Amino acid sequence: MNFRADAAYAAQLDQDDPLAHYREQFHVPRHADGEEIYLCGNSLGLQPKTVERYLREELEDWQQLAVKAHFAGRRPWMPYNELLTAKTAHLAGAEPQEVVNMNSLTANLHLMLVSFYRPTKARHRILIERGAFPSDRYAATSQILFHGFDPDTSLVEIAPRDGRATLDMDEVESVIRAEGERLALVLLPGVQYYSGQAFDVARLTRAAHAVGAVAGFDLAHAAGNLPLQLHDWDADFAVWCSYKYLNAGPGAVAGCFVHARHARDFERPRFAGWWGHDKSTRFHMDPEFVPMEGAQGWQLSNPPILALAPLLASLEIFDEAGMQRLREKSLRLTGYLEFLLDERLADEVEILTPRNPAERGCQLSLRLRGSARRAREIFRQLEERFVTADWREPDVIRVAPVPLYNTYTDVYRFVKILEVVLSAGK
Ligand SMILES: *Cc1c(COP(=O)(O)O)cnc(C)c1O
């Protein structure tokens, strides 16, 4: 793409952006003189303006109808979850029965591991990355211990070579092949939270299946960031949270995918609850658990309506905008950020995220050259100038221009401010 490094050009890109109007559907944090430059949607997405109304309507139904709102509410609570199913399926590239919104990410990961990590003496290893998000690592390690195995021998960690920030997919594949029949399960990210690297889910799934292992993915940084094709990619399960790119609010209800081939795996162990019971007989209150087919069969409890309402509001926006169109803008928006950094700050800023757009989402992870202490100080000064990005120890700033609500001018102004702060700090 041919970009130019001046403000008028950024304004022109905004003018030509067919998705520009979506920004008006979000609350952008403000300061005395205007809007923040919010580049932190990878950590907490902005609030859709429709959330307030959706929540208020549920509060009103609760006030006026109380228990009757389960059936008589304007969005009846009993099947409320189903309002989200088709939209979630679109987002995940899945069949409706393959997805469900429930619990939180780590809780769903445990539920999936309970069912899909079935270690034996011969096959008990879990492959994760050395730099995995701590919660994923804790979940995998505690599951290994729960089954009476030893993480020292059952947890296999793969790290980038030679101090690099990203993993080579060839190498991951060859580790999977080398582990072979000892490997029970592969747990990898869709997009790596620290480096922003996108993993090749389809390819890694094929590699895992070729050795007889289960392929599970954490899509915390992929959901709402990249178009997903989980069904075709053939992953066994996937989990994600909804408060990052999915804009559903702090601690939002999380997503879960179980491939259709497991939809009727009723023999597979699972931790069960009444909301996973066949909904046509759920209220017969029978002692015997009869799971629903598909991902919904892993539900435990009746869903938290007040927490689902923001997710519904947000998924409606995604459904309308469409992940393909969002991805097209995202490629250009992040490409523009990369261009400006290279053009103006190549001596100061190292981009850790892959340079190939196909191997990343919207986030770029930046390492400022010089000491970590100086980088921390630069980050502080960015915050003083109303730039919200995100700091990761020891010296990385993650910057995520989100196609739904960020503008090319946001990106332009961010680089301009970074330039000012860096040159003042010399
Ligand atoms: C954000 C994130 C989490 C957070 O887990 P919660 O259960 O939602 O608190 C876990 N794993 C990864 C990879 C993440 O990026």
PDB file of all heavy atoms in Angstrom, residues 104-107 133 135-136 193 218 220-221 241 243-244, ligand 1:
ATOM      1  N   SER A 104     -16.497 -17.437  31.942  1.00  0.00           N
ATOM      2  CA  SER A 104     -15.383 -16.586  31.528  1.00  0.00           C
ATOM      3  C   SER A 104     -14.389 -17.466  30.775  1.00  0.00           C
ATOM      4  O   SER A 104     -14.535 -18.690  30.735  1.00  0.00           O
ATOM      5  CB  SER A 104     -14.726 -15.961  32.751  1.00  0.00           C
ATOM      6  OG  SER A 104     -14.364 -16.985  33.651  1.00  0.00           O
ATOM      7  N   LEU A 105     -13.386 -16.839  30.207  1.00  0.00           N
ATOM      8  CA  LEU A 105     -12.467 -17.586  29.348  1.00  0.00           C
ATOM      9  C   LEU A 105     -11.801 -18.746  30.097  1.00  0.00           C
ATOM     10  O   LEU A 105     -11.827 -19.894  29.655  1.00  0.00           O
ATOM     11  CB  LEU A 105     -11.396 -16.636  28.785  1.00  0.00           C
ATOM     12  CG  LEU A 105     -10.427 -17.206  27.741  1.00  0.00           C
ATOM     13  CD1 LEU A 105      -9.799 -16.072  26.953  1.00  0.00           C
ATOM     14  CD2 LEU A 105      -9.331 -18.049  28.344  1.00  0.00           C
ATOM     15  N   THR A 106     -11.190 -18.433  31.236  1.00  0.00           N
ATOM     16  CA  THR A 106     -10.427 -19.472  31.934  1.00  0.00           C
ATOM     17  C   THR A 106     -11.352 -20.584  32.428  1.00  0.00           C
ATOM     18  O   THR A 106     -10.990 -21.767  32.383  1.00  0.00           O
ATOM     19  CB  THR A 106      -9.616 -18.856  33.090  1.00  0.00           C
ATOM     20  OG1 THR A 106      -8.837 -17.768  32.572  1.00  0.00           O
ATOM     21  CG2 THR A 106      -8.677 -19.884  33.701  1.00  0.00           C
ATOM     22  N   ALA A 107     -12.551 -20.223  32.865  1.00  0.00           N
ATOM     23  CA  ALA A 107     -13.510 -21.249  33.289  1.00  0.00           C
ATOM     24  C   ALA A 107     -13.851 -22.162  32.103  1.00  0.00           C
ATOM     25  O   ALA A 107     -13.874 -23.394  32.241  1.00  0.00           O
ATOM     26  CB  ALA A 107     -14.772 -20.593  33.841  1.00  0.00           C
ATOM     27  N   PHE A 133      -0.037 -16.783  27.873  1.00  0.00           N
ATOM     28  CA  PHE A 133      -0.712 -15.981  28.889  1.00  0.00           C
ATOM     29  C   PHE A 133      -0.777 -16.808  30.171  1.00  0.00           C
ATOM     30  O   PHE A 133      -1.136 -17.979  30.128  1.00  0.00           O
ATOM     31  CB  PHE A 133      -2.121 -15.644  28.387  1.00  0.00           C
ATOM     32  CG  PHE A 133      -2.797 -14.550  29.145  1.00  0.00           C
ATOM     33  CD1 PHE A 133      -2.695 -13.231  28.723  1.00  0.00           C
ATOM     34  CD2 PHE A 133      -3.546 -14.838  30.274  1.00  0.00           C
ATOM     35  CE1 PHE A 133      -3.338 -12.213  29.423  1.00  0.00           C
ATOM     36  CE2 PHE A 133      -4.183 -13.822  30.975  1.00  0.00           C
ATOM     37  CZ  PHE A 133      -4.078 -12.507  30.552  1.00  0.00           C
ATOM     38  N   SER A 135      -2.738 -17.315  32.630  1.00  0.00           N
ATOM     39  CA  SER A 135      -3.934 -18.083  32.995  1.00  0.00           C
ATOM     40  C   SER A 135      -4.008 -19.399  32.218  1.00  0.00           C
ATOM     41  O   SER A 135      -4.395 -20.436  32.770  1.00  0.00           O
ATOM     42  CB  SER A 135      -5.193 -17.243  32.740  1.00  0.00           C
ATOM     43  OG  SER A 135      -6.262 -17.697  33.531  1.00  0.00           O
ATOM     44  N   ASP A 136      -3.624 -19.381  30.963  1.00  0.00           N
ATOM     45  CA  ASP A 136      -3.650 -20.593  30.142  1.00  0.00           C
ATOM     46  C   ASP A 136      -2.670 -21.614  30.698  1.00  0.00           C
ATOM     47  O   ASP A 136      -2.935 -22.818  30.742  1.00  0.00           O
ATOM     48  CB  ASP A 136      -3.291 -20.264  28.691  1.00  0.00           C
ATOM     49  CG  ASP A 136      -4.247 -19.247  28.080  1.00  0.00           C
ATOM     50  OD1 ASP A 136      -4.497 -18.209  28.736  1.00  0.00           O
ATOM     51  OD2 ASP A 136      -4.741 -19.477  26.975  1.00  0.00           O
ATOM     52  N   TYR A 193      -0.871 -12.803  22.626  1.00  0.00           N
ATOM     53  CA  TYR A 193      -1.230 -11.527  23.275  1.00  0.00           C
ATOM     54  C   TYR A 193      -0.068 -10.555  23.352  1.00  0.00           C
ATOM     55  O   TYR A 193      -0.258  -9.341  23.319  1.00  0.00           O
ATOM     56  CB  TYR A 193      -1.788 -11.788  24.684  1.00  0.00           C
ATOM     57  CG  TYR A 193      -0.731 -12.002  25.746  1.00  0.00           C
ATOM     58  CD1 TYR A 193      -0.350 -10.971  26.597  1.00  0.00           C
ATOM     59  CD2 TYR A 193      -0.085 -13.220  25.882  1.00  0.00           C
ATOM     60  CE1 TYR A 193       0.635 -11.149  27.552  1.00  0.00           C
ATOM     61  CE2 TYR A 193       0.907 -13.409  26.832  1.00  0.00           C
ATOM     62  CZ  TYR A 193       1.258 -12.364  27.668  1.00  0.00           C
ATOM     63  OH  TYR A 193       2.235 -12.542  28.609  1.00  0.00           O
ATOM     64  N   ASP A 218      -6.857 -20.802  22.209  1.00  0.00           N
ATOM     65  CA  ASP A 218      -7.302 -19.646  22.972  1.00  0.00           C
ATOM     66  C   ASP A 218      -7.361 -18.460  22.012  1.00  0.00           C
ATOM     67  O   ASP A 218      -6.330 -18.006  21.511  1.00  0.00           O
ATOM     68  CB  ASP A 218      -6.324 -19.367  24.115  1.00  0.00           C
ATOM     69  CG  ASP A 218      -6.799 -18.208  24.980  1.00  0.00           C
ATOM     70  OD1 ASP A 218      -7.473 -17.299  24.438  1.00  0.00           O
ATOM     71  OD2 ASP A 218      -6.495 -18.210  26.180  1.00  0.00           O
ATOM     72  N   ALA A 220      -8.527 -15.371  22.639  1.00  0.00           N
ATOM     73  CA  ALA A 220      -8.766 -14.114  23.360  1.00  0.00           C
ATOM     74  C   ALA A 220      -8.425 -12.894  22.495  1.00  0.00           C
ATOM     75  O   ALA A 220      -9.154 -11.910  22.485  1.00  0.00           O
ATOM     76  CB  ALA A 220      -7.954 -14.083  24.653  1.00  0.00           C
ATOM     77  N   HIS A 221      -7.302 -12.987  21.764  1.00  0.00           N
ATOM     78  CA  HIS A 221      -6.871 -11.842  20.955  1.00  0.00           C
ATOM     79  C   HIS A 221      -7.196 -12.014  19.469  1.00  0.00           C
ATOM     80  O   HIS A 221      -6.770 -11.205  18.647  1.00  0.00           O
ATOM     81  CB  HIS A 221      -5.378 -11.588  21.154  1.00  0.00           C
ATOM     82  CG  HIS A 221      -5.100 -10.909  22.453  1.00  0.00           C
ATOM     83  ND1 HIS A 221      -4.902  -9.553  22.545  1.00  0.00           N
ATOM     84  CD2 HIS A 221      -5.052 -11.387  23.717  1.00  0.00           C
ATOM     85  CE1 HIS A 221      -4.715  -9.228  23.818  1.00  0.00           C
ATOM     86  NE2 HIS A 221      -4.795 -10.322  24.554  1.00  0.00           N
ATOM     87  N   CYS A 241     -12.488 -14.572  25.241  1.00  0.00           N
ATOM     88  CA  CYS A 241     -13.189 -13.644  26.114  1.00  0.00           C
ATOM     89  C   CYS A 241     -13.849 -12.586  25.231  1.00  0.00           C
ATOM     90  O   CYS A 241     -13.540 -12.467  24.051  1.00  0.00           O
ATOM     91  CB  CYS A 241     -12.246 -13.012  27.127  1.00  0.00           C
ATOM     92  SG  CYS A 241     -10.809 -12.233  26.384  1.00  0.00           S
ATOM     93  N   TYR A 243     -14.376  -9.174  26.255  1.00  0.00           N
ATOM     94  CA  TYR A 243     -14.187  -7.775  26.685  1.00  0.00           C
ATOM     95  C   TYR A 243     -13.062  -7.091  25.932  1.00  0.00           C
ATOM     96  O   TYR A 243     -12.879  -5.900  26.063  1.00  0.00           O
ATOM     97  CB  TYR A 243     -13.920  -7.702  28.196  1.00  0.00           C
ATOM     98  CG  TYR A 243     -12.897  -8.688  28.706  1.00  0.00           C
ATOM     99  CD1 TYR A 243     -11.536  -8.423  28.610  1.00  0.00           C
ATOM    100  CD2 TYR A 243     -13.295  -9.903  29.266  1.00  0.00           C
ATOM    101  CE1 TYR A 243     -10.603  -9.337  29.067  1.00  0.00           C
ATOM    102  CE2 TYR A 243     -12.370 -10.809  29.721  1.00  0.00           C
ATOM    103  CZ  TYR A 243     -11.019 -10.526  29.624  1.00  0.00           C
ATOM    104  OH  TYR A 243     -10.098 -11.448  30.064  1.00  0.00           O
ATOM    105  N   LYS A 244     -12.288  -7.840  25.137  1.00  0.00           N
ATOM    106  CA  LYS A 244     -11.202  -7.222  24.377  1.00  0.00           C
ATOM    107  C   LYS A 244     -11.800  -6.687  23.070  1.00  0.00           C
ATOM    108  O   LYS A 244     -12.581  -5.755  23.093  1.00  0.00           O
ATOM    109  CB  LYS A 244     -10.082  -8.234  24.170  1.00  0.00           C
ATOM    110  CG  LYS A 244      -9.419  -8.594  25.515  1.00  0.00           C
ATOM    111  CD  LYS A 244      -8.442  -9.737  25.449  1.00  0.00           C
ATOM    112  CE  LYS A 244      -7.846  -9.978  26.840  1.00  0.00           C
ATOM    113  NZ  LYS A 244      -7.149 -11.264  26.941  1.00  0.00           N
TER     114      LYS A 244
HETATM  115  C1  LIG B   1      -7.148 -11.888  28.186  1.00  0.00           C
HETATM  116  C2  LIG B   1      -6.689 -13.295  28.220  1.00  0.00           C
HETATM  117  C3  LIG B   1      -7.099 -14.177  29.230  1.00  0.00           C
HETATM  118  C4  LIG B   1      -7.979 -13.692  30.355  1.00  0.00           C
HETATM  119  O1  LIG B   1      -8.652 -14.721  30.994  1.00  0.00           O
HETATM  120  P1  LIG B   1     -10.025 -14.457  31.782  1.00  0.00           P
HETATM  121  O2  LIG B   1     -10.451 -15.788  32.191  1.00  0.00           O
HETATM  122  O3  LIG B   1     -10.937 -13.748  30.832  1.00  0.00           O
HETATM  123  O4  LIG B   1      -9.695 -13.544  32.948  1.00  0.00           O
HETATM  124  C5  LIG B   1      -6.671 -15.490  29.179  1.00  0.00           C
HETATM  125  N1  LIG B   1      -5.866 -15.920  28.178  1.00  0.00           N
HETATM  126  C6  LIG B   1      -5.435 -15.087  27.205  1.00  0.00           C
HETATM  127  C7  LIG B   1      -4.535 -15.597  26.120  1.00  0.00           C
HETATM  128  C8  LIG B   1      -5.821 -13.754  27.207  1.00  0.00           C
HETATM  129  O5  LIG B   1      -5.375 -12.925  26.256  1.00  0.00           O
END
